[in-house]
């Protein structure tokens, strides 16, 4: 797919991602959907209004009425789409810097479009075979005033409110000026928490921090946890489908440790947990300890959703899935990543233990990574041939869904070509740093030798 990557289409707004481009995407999606009504929402980005107007025009021109939800987290747009049984178009660049924007497409079941549906939209986009209607059949916009309020109330209905309220937790929240600024403060208050906030005014220029919830951007949150004596710090990305945590000491918690802790609390013997090919050893260990199966997909949420659906078709329970970047699925709630819901599930764990204690079992894993760059096709081919040879020689369990991942039980190593840069990335993880370093070095040596003779 050229137009849609693994998580929608994104670019610098008004440069790569123009109103004309979004208008065409909306026409193409509207043509494929053939729905007489489509929902439209956006995050807080400065260009969101402009691009939402373009999307509304495109949808109206192919005959769809548009439910305009305004600023709303992506999972809120998904919940609305599911409730109404209509598709939705979301204007967001998720965690990308302020100058970016993008489009996510959501089906009438509230789930991100699968690869097949995206390919159909892309084909319409490229051929411009749009179903434009006569002037008298063009759509009109309805402004839905209570979308945010309803999204918060359906979240509350899906949770054990009493259990969380009884723990009298103090939550330090950093929605990063994104869409969660308008929903998460109220949500955690209604869950019975004391809420203190940083960067919680919606602002598309993101003056306080960049939208990506990584430690470099979250100094404010660490300090806020300490200053307010909070039990936990919670940060979202720009469209609030992710949640990242700080413990009660103001220390950053690795996303992989959070995922492992949440999975450990959810998984029963015979269940499956789905994650991407670069999954942490932490989740490998949790799946073994809980007697569940770990299913690995190529990187990207679309691949994880596809695998969960396949497992559901085989009547396999998948109570939890996701990646170590804070994007976690609880498929029994909904097949979406929802930062607020994920945070509430983490708060459930805090009703019994402090945050640092919840994640302590998943501390002390070491990640090592390196890159082997290439400049010619011959070098690229030689690197991949060497990686394949090493993988086949090894006695470890091999997974080839996206590159070559070798699982040794106590550690793993993965060699895969970067999707964006001319290099093969090598990752390893183990309880001991030296073990991870050795695993990377062995593959790296083989690759560099092969490249030298290419
Ligand atoms: Mg996001």
């Amino acid at each position: 797919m050229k137009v849609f990557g693994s998580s929608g289409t994104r670019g610098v707004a008004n440069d790569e991602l123009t109103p004309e481009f979004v208008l065409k995407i909306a026409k193409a999606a509207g043509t494929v959907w053939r729905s007489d009504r489509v929902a439209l929402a956006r995050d807080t980005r400065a260009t969101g209004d402009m691009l939402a107007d373009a999307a509304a025009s495109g949808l109206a021109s192919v005959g769809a009425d548009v439910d305009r939800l305004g600023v709303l987290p992506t999972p809120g747009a998904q919940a609305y789409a599911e409730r109404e049984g209509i598709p939705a178009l979301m204007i967001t660049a998720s965690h990308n810097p302020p100058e970016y924007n993008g489009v996510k497409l959501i089906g009438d079941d509230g789930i991100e479009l699968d690869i097949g549906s995206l390919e159909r939209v892309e084909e319409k986009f490229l051929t411009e075979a749009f179903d434009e209607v006569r002037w008298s059949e063009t759509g009109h916009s309805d402004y839905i005033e209570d979308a945010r309020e309803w999204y918060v109330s359906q979240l509350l209905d899906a949770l054990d409110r009493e259990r969380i309220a009884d723990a009298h937790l103090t939550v330090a929240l950093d929605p990063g000026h994104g869409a969660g600024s308008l929903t998460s403060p109220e949500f955690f208050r209604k869950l019975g928490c004391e809420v203190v906030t940083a960067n919680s005014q919606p602002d598309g220029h993101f003056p306080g921090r960049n939208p990506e919830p990584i430690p470099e951007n979250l100094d404010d949150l660490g300090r806020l946890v300490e200053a307010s004596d909070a039990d936990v710090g919670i940060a979202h990305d720009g469209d609030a489908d992710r949640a990242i945590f700080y413990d009660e000491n103001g220390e950053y918690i690795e996303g992989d440790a959070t995922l492992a802790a949440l999975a450990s609390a959810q998984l029963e013997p015979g269940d499956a947990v789905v994650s991407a090919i670069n999954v942490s050893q932490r989740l490998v260990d949790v799946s073994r300890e809980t007697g569940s199966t770990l299913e690995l997909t190529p990187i990207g949420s679309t691949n994880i959703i596809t695998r969960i659906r396949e497992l559901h078709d085989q009547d396999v329970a998948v109570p939890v899935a996701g990646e170590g970047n804070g994007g976690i699925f609880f498929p029994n709630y909904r097949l979406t990543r929802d930062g607020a819901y994920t945070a509430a599930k983490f708060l459930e764990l805090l009703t019994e233990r402090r945050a640092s204690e919840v994640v302590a079992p998943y501390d002390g894993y070491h990640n090592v990574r390196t890159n082997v760059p290439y400049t010619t096709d011959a070098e690229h081919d030689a690197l991949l041939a060497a990686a394949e040879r090493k993988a086949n020689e090894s006695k470890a369990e091999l997974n080839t869904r996206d590159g070559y991942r070798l699982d040794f039980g106590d550690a793993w190593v993965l060699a895969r070509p970067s999707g964006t840069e001319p290099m093969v990335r090598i990752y390893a993880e183990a309880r001991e740093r030296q073990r991870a370093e050795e695993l990377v070095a062995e593959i790296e040596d083989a690759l560099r030798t092969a490249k030298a003779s290419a």
Side-chain angles (χ1 to χ4, degrees), residues 10 74 92-95 104 237-242 337:
R10 288 181 211 162
T74 296
T92 177
S94 191
H95 63 271
K104 278 186 190 176
D237 66 335
D239 64 336
D241 60 351
R242 283 160 59 176
R337 288 165 303 180

Side-chain angles (χ1 to χ4, degrees), residues 46-366:
T47 54
D49 231 359
M50 171 183 80
L51 296 176
D53 284 347
S57 290
L59 292 165
S61 80
V62 295
D65 289 334
V66 184
D67 283 8
R68 300 193 64 161
L69 310 181
V71 174
L72 190 67
T74 296
Q78 294 183 281
Y80 186 89
E82 183 195 73
R83 183 188 79 175
E84 296 293 312
I86 59 174
L89 192 152
M90 179 79 200
I91 303 290
T92 177
S94 191
H95 63 271
N96 286 50
E99 64 272 25
Y100 281 74
N101 217 328
V103 179
K104 278 186 190 176
L105 300 178
I106 297 156
D108 60 13
D109 51 5
I111 301 170
E112 285 172 47
L113 290 195
D114 59 24
I115 292 164
S117 303
L118 288 175
E119 280 172 350
R120 281 193 291 283
V121 174
E122 182 168 291
E123 196 227 315
K124 291 284 178 204
F125 178 93
L126 294 172
T127 59
E128 302 194 14
F130 307 129
D131 283 346
E132 282 140 347
V133 298
R134 279 164 48 85
W135 67 272
S136 55
E137 285 151 18
T138 55
H140 66 273
S141 284
D142 279 319
Y143 292 83
I144 309 298
E145 305 294 342
D146 64 349
R148 287 193 291 269
E149 203 183 315
W150 173 77
Y151 164 62
V152 168
S153 73
Q154 63 87 41
L155 273 170
L156 293 166
D157 289 345
L159 288 157
D160 189 347
R161 292 173 74 169
E162 236 169 81
R163 179 174 166 200
I164 295 171
D166 285 350
H168 303 292
L169 298 167
T170 299
V171 169
L173 174 69
D174 179 352
H177 305 297
S181 305
L182 292 169
T183 49
S184 277
E186 184 195 349
F187 168 64
F188 291 112
R189 279 188 194 109
K190 286 193 168 163
L191 270 180
C193 302
E194 179 96 20
V195 181
V196 293
T197 59
N199 306 317
S200 73
Q201 69 281 37
D203 189 329
H205 294 92
F206 300 92
R209 71 158 168 97
N210 262 13
E212 187 164 18
I214 50 176
E216 298 88 292
N217 293 334
L218 297 174
D219 287 345
D220 289 350
L221 181 58
R223 279 194 297 271
L224 180 62
V225 170
E226 284 187 271
S228 62
D229 208 10
D231 296 294
V232 64
I234 299 169
H236 294 313
D237 66 335
D239 64 336
D241 60 351
R242 283 160 59 176
I244 284 289
F245 302 90
Y246 277 63
D247 74 14
E248 75 282 2
N249 304 311
E251 298 288 332
Y252 171 72
I253 299 173
E254 299 271 355
D256 282 312
T258 308
L259 176 59
L262 289 166
S264 179
Q266 300 285 329
L267 289 167
E268 304 277 347
D271 289 350
V273 53
V274 181
S275 191
I277 194 76
N278 59 349
V279 70
S280 168
Q281 183 68 27
R282 297 165 172 94
L283 197 59
V284 177
D285 291 346
V286 165
S287 80
R288 194 179 43 231
E289 284 157 14
T290 55
S292 55
T293 315
L294 176 59
E295 298 269 347
L296 300 184
T297 72
I299 289 170
S301 65
T302 311
N303 297 309
I304 291 181
I305 292 169
T306 302
R307 187 68 192 132
I308 295 170
R309 288 176 136 169
E310 286 167 6
L311 289 161
H312 280 170
D313 287 345
Q314 296 160 26
D315 285 328
V316 177
V318 187
V320 63
E323 295 176 85
N325 62 4
I328 299 179
F329 295 88
F330 296 87
N332 296 336
Y333 162 62
R334 187 172 284 124
L335 202 43
T336 58
R337 288 165 303 180
D338 187 317
Y341 187 86
T342 298
K345 297 307 277 183
F346 195 71
L347 294 185
E348 285 182 3
L349 305 183
L350 302 188
T351 61
E352 282 155 24
R353 276 185 224 67
R354 285 199 284 263
S356 60
E357 293 165 351
V358 165
V359 296
Y362 315 106
D363 210 10
Y365 288 77
H366 293 279

Side-chain angles (χ1 to χ4, degrees), residues 408 410-411 428 430-440:
F408 295 85
D410 66 325
R431 281 278 195 178
E432 302 79 35
R433 172 163 293 277
Q434 197 191 342
R435 171 110 168 98
E437 283 170 350
E438 284 166 5
L439 287 171
V440 165

